[in-house]
Amino acid sequence: MGNVIIHRLYNVALIVCLIHLTLGDQPKIIIIGAGPAGIAAASKLYEHGFHNLTILEAESRIGGRVYTTWFDESWVDLGGQSVHGETGNIVFQIASPLGLLEVPDGNGGLDFNIHDSKGSQLPVDIADDLLELYLNVSAIAEKALEGNNGSMGDFFAPEFSRELLKYQTFNETVVKGLIKMFEGLTISTDSADNWNNISAKNFVGYADCPGSEIVNWKDRGYGTILDILMKKYPNPEEELPIMNNTLLNSEVVNVNYNATDKKVLIETNNGQKYTADHVIVTPSLGVLKEQYETLFTPQLPESKVKTIKGLSMGSAAKIYFAFKEPWWPANRSLVLLWDETDRREYENDPSKKWLLDLISFTVVPHRPRLLRAWINGAGARYMETLPESQAFDEAFALLDKFFGKSYNITKPTGHLRTNWNTNKHFRGAYSFRSMESERADVWANELAAPLLLDGKPIVMFAGEATNSQHWSTVHGAIDSGFREADRLIELYNTKNLSK
Ligand SMILES: Cc1cc2nc3c(=O)[nH]c(=O)nc-3n(C[C@H](O)[C@H](O)[C@H](O)COP(=O)(O)OP(=O)(O)OC[C@H]3O[C@@H](n4cnc5c(N)ncnc54)[C@H](O)[C@@H]3O)c2cc1C
């Protein structure tokens, strides 16, 4: 308690101290990227009296991979959609007391019907058993994989196989199909291409926040978290001037931390130059992988480069379909089970192969007329390269192939797809630990390490991939933004600001 009071007094003293300095005397802080990490860092810094800050954002909007947009008379999320967990999740902690979140009951939101590529449906009680089996195996995996240096596939494939062979009703071919189905469901949380390339440590090292994995935003979208961080919600009069300090369409092309005056020189694609005492870099791991050689002057230290190369960026895509009326069973998603011969046919046809990575058509909470197709890994990357109408037509034909015999499927009234991989400001969906990360022995905290000048952090890194416990998530991104804000708050708590 005593420490808390002392810390609060420090913060009050810091704010008073900063407010007494003119803006020009305050340390200049530039944040690259207005995603959740950047907005979180800016909001916290602003609240602690650091008012000389600017966010440079490449896109024409804020939010990054949190992208809530209007579609078919409701808000939908093109990026982050569910709050993963409750306890220890910063998003849940700040949004739940405002009554904005819904925690589904029991398996609510996870239930699914399974149909095969010949159009037959597995009995609903078997689908329920399979969901239970899937959840049970996932639950024991945490302990079983501890200290394991292999891949997730090494554990999950034989484990699912053993459990499935207990069913008299499934022959070996169906078991094979079901294992593939489980692989699709398992890897969707990592956006990897397959589970043989996801390290077991990815599963064990990620710190689950206890509680539901699919807490939803009711009729709002995940973008509401940005309003809460900027204090625009719940009371717009208290909004912090973060938007006023954000320059959109400003893609940073170089961060020069070699300047002689101990400042960082930042250049954007529209030829603007900025100097800063500190810069917080938040673009995705995908962007860093593509641009680390040109983005920084001088080149980043070898350990940082090795980490950027060694951590992995996954791909995932969504296609939303809107219908006049729902024709599917309420609150049950539709999962695809491939027949072996059909699978082989699609595997051997380069133009159809991507459809094998479309694993489900999911119901969307509070949007009764929408279905959301989820596409993993390589299929997501390929889908993005197709003309829009072709991607929609092929995905809809797949829906019809699997489910057309069981339901009266109507023509969609609208569709919308994502393009996280083709967009150069993202180059993927979210990071994960692959077998390559294992072999390279690289870790998120190395990515998070700041570059120092005279012991002072001048180039700092935030973003989901820098979070060693909650990578790949919105709450992980926000935690990382707060972490870097705290680093500066601490620095100026102990330093004479006039220096
Ligand atoms: C399809 C999909 C589904 C997801 N589902 C969930 C989910 O259900 N729950 C969950 O918790 N998470 C989910 N995520 C992950 C979550 O959205 C991300 O982890 C999180 O948003 C990352 O935030 P960030 O601030 O680290 O990065 P970003 O959101 O990528 O922000 C970085 C910002 O930097 C900008 N930028 C890039 N390059 C430059 C440059 N050179 N100059 C200036 N600006 C630049 C970008 O435009 C972007 O705005 C999902 C992501 C995707 C793609």
Side-chain angles (χ1 to χ4, degrees):
M1 186 62 176
N3 279 345
V4 172
I5 292 170
I6 291 168
H7 188 70
R8 289 217 176 115
L9 286 175
Y10 258 141
N11 283 343
V12 171
L14 170 67
I15 292 169
V16 171
C17 207
L18 283 167
I19 286 170
H20 276 99
L21 290 171
T22 62
L23 215 53
D25 292 332
Q26 284 205 7
K28 174 71 189 172
I29 299 165
I30 288 191
I31 298 171
I32 304 177
I39 295 285
S43 302
K44 185 155 196 184
L45 285 166
Y46 202 90
E47 279 196 284
H48 280 79
F50 292 83
H51 293 179
N52 193 6
L53 57 85
T54 302
I55 306 185
L56 298 172
E57 167 54 53
E59 292 273 305
S60 57
R61 60 174 182 87
I62 66 160
R65 281 169 280 164
V66 167
Y67 189 2
T68 302
T69 190
W70 191 249
F71 169 65
D72 189 59
E73 297 170 5
S74 61
W75 293 110
V76 293
D77 280 310
L78 296 178
Q81 61 206 29
S82 310
V83 180
H84 295 320
E86 301 167 44
T87 313
N89 182 320
I90 183 70
V91 175
F92 191 85
Q93 275 166 19
I94 58 180
S96 177
L98 298 170
L100 297 171
L101 301 178
E102 179 179 74
V103 179
D105 303 329
N107 281 344
L110 282 180
D111 292 321
F112 49 65
N113 284 358
I114 303 170
H115 292 239
D116 69 22
S117 47
K118 301 289 180 212
S120 305
Q121 179 178 1
L122 257 64
V124 172
D125 57 329
I126 300 241
D128 287 344
D129 278 2
L130 289 172
L131 172 60
E132 204 180 313
L133 186 159
Y134 173 71
L135 295 174
N136 288 343
V137 171
S138 303
I140 61 159
E142 185 87 17
K143 215 168 166 41
L145 286 174
E146 225 165 274
N148 188 311
N149 292 327
S151 75
M152 276 175 68
D154 292 341
F155 169 77
F156 277 98
E159 196 63 30
F160 279 131
S161 172
R162 188 166 46 247
E163 290 298 320
L164 288 167
L165 285 169
K166 289 180 189 162
Y167 282 78
Q168 305 291 319
T169 36
F170 299 146
N171 62 31
E172 243 178 79
T173 326
V174 177
V175 167
K176 246 179 155 177
L178 285 168
I179 291 174
K180 275 282 174 203
M181 182 190 91
F182 282 141
E183 178 175 7
L185 295 175
T186 308
I187 66 176
S188 63
T189 48
D190 304 294
S191 71
D193 285 13
N194 60 67
W195 57 15
N196 295 326
N197 192 30
I198 308 175
S199 130
K201 291 207 188 82
N202 186 73
F203 194 82
V204 178
Y206 176 87
D208 283 328
C209 296
S212 169
E213 279 293 306
I214 47 167
V215 176
N216 71 72
W217 287 87
K218 302 184 194 171
D219 53 353
R220 292 168 171 271
Y222 217 139
T224 309
I225 195 63
L226 306 169
D227 291 343
I228 302 174
L229 289 169
M230 296 186 292
K231 303 234 174 299
K232 187 173 167 191
Y233 187 92
N235 183 359
E237 282 170 14
E238 290 177 11
E239 181 175 357
L240 303 170
I242 303 300
M243 287 307 291
N244 294 346
N245 290 300
T246 300
L247 300 174
L248 299 174
N249 302 306
S250 299
E251 179 188 322
V252 172
V253 292
N254 191 253
V255 175
N256 185 334
Y257 59 101
N258 206 18
T260 45
D261 56 358
K262 301 189 179 176
K263 303 259 182 203
V264 187
L265 185 65
I266 292 148
E267 200 176 334
T268 59
N269 62 341
N270 41 26
Q272 297 296 316
K273 293 195 165 99
Y274 305 84
T275 50
D277 297 290
H278 309 277
V279 55
I280 304 179
V281 178
T282 76
S284 73
L285 177 66
V287 171
L288 292 178
K289 277 180 181 290
E290 187 170 79
Q291 294 182 23
Y292 72 88
E293 282 173 313
T294 52
L295 197 52
F296 298 95
T297 307
Q299 291 286 304
L300 291 172
E302 190 44 46
S303 58
K304 190 77 90 184
V305 171
K306 188 178 165 209
T307 309
I308 290 171
K309 286 180 173 170
L311 292 176
S312 287
M313 187 72 178
S315 306
K318 304 179 191 181
I319 302 179
Y320 283 99
F321 287 100
F323 296 90
K324 200 156 174 266
E325 299 288 343
W327 45 259
W328 53 92
N331 301 325
R332 290 187 79 90
S333 292
L334 305 172
V335 168
L336 292 77
L337 170 63
W338 284 87
D339 167 86
E340 199 53 23
T341 38
D342 285 344
R343 169 176 289 281
R344 239 175 279 130
E345 180 201 323
Y346 276 61
E347 249 165 16
N348 293 328
D349 182 341
S351 70
K352 281 182 169 174
K353 197 173 170 198
W354 74 273
L355 291 160
L356 293 170
D357 287 325
L358 193 164
I359 56 162
S360 60
F361 293 88
T362 316
V363 292
V364 188
H366 297 273
R367 317 292 190 275
R369 296 192 294 114
L370 299 188
L371 279 182
R372 182 181 55 220
W374 182 273
I375 306 148
N376 282 328
R381 291 194 293 277
Y382 184 84
M383 183 281 289
E384 288 185 18
T385 65
L386 296 176
E388 238 177 26
S389 60
Q390 188 180 342
F392 297 140
D393 288 350
E394 290 181 10
F396 181 71
L398 194 77
L399 179 73
D400 197 41
K401 178 180 171 68
F402 279 73
F403 306 99
K405 282 191 186 148
S406 309
Y407 306 107
N408 235 343
I409 300 184
T410 54
K411 278 259 172 248
T413 52
H415 11 61
L416 185 64
R417 73 161 170 184
T418 58
N419 64 348
W420 296 109
N421 199 65
T422 38
N423 187 326
K424 69 183 280 218
H425 301 140
F426 300 99
R427 292 289 188 243
Y430 33 91
S431 67
F432 70 102
R433 285 194 70 70
S434 63
M435 294 311 289
E436 199 186 338
S437 320
E438 253 354 272
R439 284 188 288 274
D441 192 23
V442 290
W443 299 90
N445 50 7
E446 176 53 44
L447 192 58
L451 306 182
L452 306 174
L453 183 69
D454 298 340
K456 187 180 78 166
I458 50 165
V459 181
M460 299 150 77
F461 294 83
E464 54 87 8
T466 70
N467 192 313
S468 50
Q469 289 197 302
H470 300 142
W471 61 87
S472 79
T473 63
V474 179
H475 58 279
I478 291 173
D479 280 341
S480 76
F482 285 164
R483 181 193 67 218
E484 294 313 310
D486 282 338
R487 201 187 292 281
L488 290 177
I489 293 165
E490 283 297 312
L491 178 75
Y492 286 93
N493 260 339
T494 53
K495 274 202 184 298
N496 180 345
L497 282 171
S498 58
K499 281 193 180 155

